[in-house]
Amino acid sequence: MPDKQEIEVMLPPEVAYNEYARYRALLQAAGLQPGQADFVHLRKRSIDARGRQPLVRLRADIYLDVPPADLFGPWFRFPDVSQARRSVIIVGAGPAGLFAALRAIELGIKPIVLERGKDVRTRRRDLAALNKEHIVNPDSNYCFGEGGAGTYSDGKLYTRSTKRGDVGRILRLLVQHGATPDILVDAHPHIGTNKLPSVVAALRESVLKAGGEVRFDTRVTDLIIEQKRLRGVVTATGEAIEADATILATGHSARDIYELLHRREVLIEAKPFALGVRVEHQQQLIDQAQYRLQDRGQLPAASYALVHQTQWQGKQRGVFSFCMCPGGFIVPAATAQGEVVVNGMSPSRRDSRFANSGIVAAIELEEMDVRQYGPLAGLRLQQEIEQRACLLAGNTQVAPAQRLADFLKGKVSSELLETSYQPGLVPVSMDEVLGQGLAERLRQGFQNFGRKIPGYATNAGQIVGVESRTSSPVRIPRDRDTLEHPTLAGLFPCGEGAGYAGGIVSAAMDGERCAEAVAALVGVS
């Protein structure tokens, strides 16, 4: 092994984010001069804003000799599986589906990826129609299409699900397919909505080059079940496709898949989820509050993470920030006409004037009508609120909104702030959209958050509804060890749509686990 020194330092932002100044500062901390080290490998970068002046914590390895060849690797190679004896159907080309496909290839199994939506390039036209003409294509939108919901809604890669798999492996695969190497270093890595499409397309090309299949505009409408075993699927065109196993990685908004499973008497379960609104502020307000500086300078757009336990009618529920998007935009995330759903995204530079975040409350089973709707109770509650939001806002993709202090006072806003939400906003009482219980919990949360971030809970912010697709309201059960469905052999529920992930990285890791479980089932290792 080459000689190296491990260094950890705290540097001011103007040094930490300047490549040459950072290099000199790291060498100085190691007692070295320029030229005395062969390579400086930055391993971790995070911001510490707790003191009077924000500092950047850096961890680095300083190599006094030539660094190892696999320092940024290992890079991954994918064998040719075009003639493989075993195959797996993968329904959905989001992170769970794409990473399941790549892992299946590594294990010698041919993946057949079926995606109801379009490829990333063609998908853009439908997003433009959604934003400008308020036309919702039920198969191609911010939730459906190549790369799934993450492709055009941010690309945050931070996850706490480190026990589910190798996070570093997922990040290296993303870098190998075009993501910035900064994601291997930053404490809260982020690719950006503008860069994710090319990364997703590169992942697909790796699947195709290895002999796998990726079919777009291919919606699954039925299952081929024989003697309690899933043999394959039927598509909207009537084509029957069979394989040794099926990985179901359809994402949290594929409601027709839940309906299909329920109709075919495949076991599914209602599960808790979270629902609320998006809150939007000027990014400068968040920067000044978080960094305590008038101008953030070289520091990245500031983010926040907030949580509060609320009490209403004797019941405690958490209210928390979700998918915070510094320097970002609010986008329409509906998957059907007659509903309004919002989500957030940020470009790679996070240079929008706006900051937005979901602020959501936990919805437990007792708040759903399980007696009437059974396992689809959470889904029905989502639909009810999304459809009410659409109706009260005028039956387009214009979203209901209320300035934050007005919401706290129960007053409909006479005028709204400038917004990043392209379809537009209309003043509405969010109590009417959300219902009394949910609105009251959010009020308690915002009042608490206003004590933590100066200026947050004032009319300098506004809430936009509704943020309802935080996670799946349905769980598709699976065996803890084999990952196979307990009553339908050959079915492997996977990712966010099945209730086992919550973001790009955790979904990707779950996709890999499911591919490995399929390999164990079919005798491939």
Side-chain angles (χ1 to χ4, degrees):
M1 285 288 294
D3 292 333
K4 71 175 182 180
Q5 292 188 35
E6 297 179 5
I7 292 294
E8 183 171 314
V9 295
M10 301 284 282
L11 298 174
E14 60 270 20
V15 176
Y17 289 99
N18 180 303
E19 190 171 354
Y20 180 67
R22 180 177 70 228
Y23 169 74
R24 291 184 64 92
L26 288 168
L27 287 182
Q28 185 178 12
L32 300 171
Q33 296 295 321
Q36 288 186 287
D38 267 42
F39 190 73
V40 176
H41 180 209
L42 188 60
R43 291 177 50 209
K44 210 70 180 172
R45 176 171 57 201
S46 61
I47 297 170
D48 187 340
R50 293 172 295 179
R52 185 171 296 177
Q53 293 291 326
L55 294 171
V56 181
R57 184 187 304 274
L58 300 178
R59 267 193 286 158
D61 291 336
I62 299 179
Y63 287 88
L64 308 179
D65 201 345
V66 178
D70 63 348
L71 185 63
F72 297 100
W75 298 132
F76 302 92
R77 300 182 181 220
F78 303 103
D80 185 349
V81 293
S82 57
Q83 305 301 317
R85 291 187 307 108
R86 300 296 191 179
S87 63
V88 58
I89 295 167
I90 300 172
V91 187
L98 288 171
F99 278 80
L102 291 174
R103 187 70 183 120
I105 289 169
E106 286 184 303
L107 296 168
I109 301 170
K110 178 180 177 178
I112 304 168
V113 182
L114 309 180
E115 170 55 52
R116 69 188 299 162
K118 301 176 182 178
D119 65 88
V120 284
R121 184 174 295 238
T122 311
R123 189 178 171 191
R124 288 178 182 148
R125 299 191 195 110
D126 296 311
L127 301 185
L130 178 56
N131 276 292
K132 296 175 183 177
E133 302 168 44
H134 302 209
I135 297 171
V136 182
N137 182 331
D139 288 322
S140 180
N141 44 62
Y142 277 97
C143 290
F144 300 147
E146 186 177 19
T151 303
Y152 290 104
S153 56
D154 204 41
K156 284 182 281 293
L157 302 175
Y158 179 66
T159 181
R160 293 182 174 89
S161 302
T162 53
K163 293 181 180 179
R164 299 186 186 182
D166 185 351
V167 174
R169 172 187 160 86
I170 301 300
L171 298 181
R172 291 194 302 274
L173 269 164
L174 288 168
V175 171
Q176 183 172 336
H177 289 88
T180 170
D182 283 349
I183 68 173
L184 302 175
V185 171
D186 288 326
H188 291 83
H190 167 260
I191 296 178
T193 308
N194 53 322
K195 294 186 176 181
L196 260 170
S198 62
V199 175
V200 168
L203 291 168
R204 177 231 306 163
E205 285 305 309
S206 285
V207 174
L208 294 175
K209 286 178 182 176
E213 296 182 28
V214 180
R215 306 186 193 181
F216 297 109
D217 297 304
T218 305
R219 179 161 46 89
V220 170
T221 57
D222 204 357
L223 308 175
I224 303 171
I225 302 174
E226 297 176 3
Q227 299 179 338
K228 296 185 179 181
R229 174 169 287 278
L230 183 60
R231 300 293 181 184
V233 299
V234 179
T235 71
T237 63
E239 181 185 5
I241 305 171
E242 296 192 13
D244 295 288
T246 297
I247 294 174
L248 195 61
T250 50
H252 58 45
S253 290
R255 290 170 169 168
D256 56 331
I257 293 296
Y258 302 137
E259 303 273 8
L260 169 61
L261 294 172
H262 190 49
R263 187 172 68 250
R264 294 301 304 270
E265 299 182 341
V266 177
L267 180 65
I268 59 175
E269 304 165 346
K271 70 176 268 293
F273 65 106
L275 194 150
V277 295
R278 280 263 144 194
V279 62
E280 185 170 58
H281 296 87
Q282 289 286 321
Q283 181 63 50
Q284 186 178 31
L285 184 151
I286 305 300
D287 289 341
Q288 290 175 351
Q290 297 296 81
Y291 292 141
R292 295 180 292 281
L293 298 170
Q294 281 300 111
D295 185 342
R296 73 173 190 251
Q298 302 246 5
L299 287 164
S303 62
Y304 57 80
L306 299 166
V307 64
H308 178 63
Q309 292 299 321
T310 67
Q311 291 281 350
W312 189 72
Q313 292 188 343
K315 294 173 184 174
Q316 182 172 292
R317 295 284 185 271
V319 171
F320 54 93
S321 57
F322 170 82
C323 184
M324 197 273 151
C325 298
F329 305 89
I330 300 177
V331 297
T335 52
Q337 293 292 161
E339 62 189 31
V340 167
V341 183
V342 295
N343 196 358
M345 58 174 255
S346 296
S348 57
R349 295 180 66 178
R350 290 180 164 172
D351 54 0
S352 160
R353 292 184 292 112
F354 301 96
N356 72 79
S357 177
I359 300 294
V360 296
I363 305 293
E364 301 295 337
L365 294 179
E366 62 190 272
E367 287 145 333
M368 310 172 194
D369 194 347
V370 178
R371 178 173 295 181
Q372 180 175 357
Y373 298 116
L376 301 179
L379 189 155
R380 295 288 180 255
L381 178 60
Q382 275 185 338
Q383 289 175 313
E384 177 187 334
I385 293 176
E386 292 168 4
Q387 290 166 7
R388 191 159 62 232
C390 185
L391 180 66
L392 292 172
N395 274 320
T396 65
Q397 286 302 298
V398 170
Q402 197 169 6
R403 291 175 76 166
L404 194 40
D406 291 342
F407 173 66
L408 296 179
K409 297 173 185 174
K411 169 189 170 185
V412 176
S413 301
S414 58
E415 60 180 359
L416 297 171
L417 302 170
E418 185 183 3
T419 182
S420 64
Y421 183 71
Q422 195 170 347
L425 305 177
V426 62
V428 167
S429 166
M430 293 304 292
D431 285 58
E432 291 187 46
V433 175
L434 300 167
Q436 183 185 5
L438 182 53
E440 178 56 33
R441 289 193 188 114
L442 292 178
R443 264 193 202 91
Q444 291 181 29
F446 280 123
Q447 287 165 347
N448 176 268
F449 301 159
R451 292 191 285 271
K452 296 175 178 175
I453 299 180
Y456 188 92
T458 68
N459 272 344
Q462 64 189 0
I463 59 174
V464 180
V466 289
E467 171 78 58
S468 52
R469 308 291 178 91
T470 56
S471 65
S472 169
V474 176
R475 176 175 286 108
I476 308 172
R478 68 189 188 189
D479 183 271
R480 183 174 180 176
D481 297 319
T482 67
L483 307 188
E484 196 172 14
H485 191 275
T487 64
L488 184 58
L491 173 63
F492 291 81
C494 182
E496 284 200 48
Y500 298 103
I504 291 173
V505 172
S506 62
M509 289 192 295
D510 202 55
E512 292 202 327
R513 288 184 67 209
C514 286
E516 291 161 4
V518 168
L521 174 75
V522 301
V524 175
S525 60

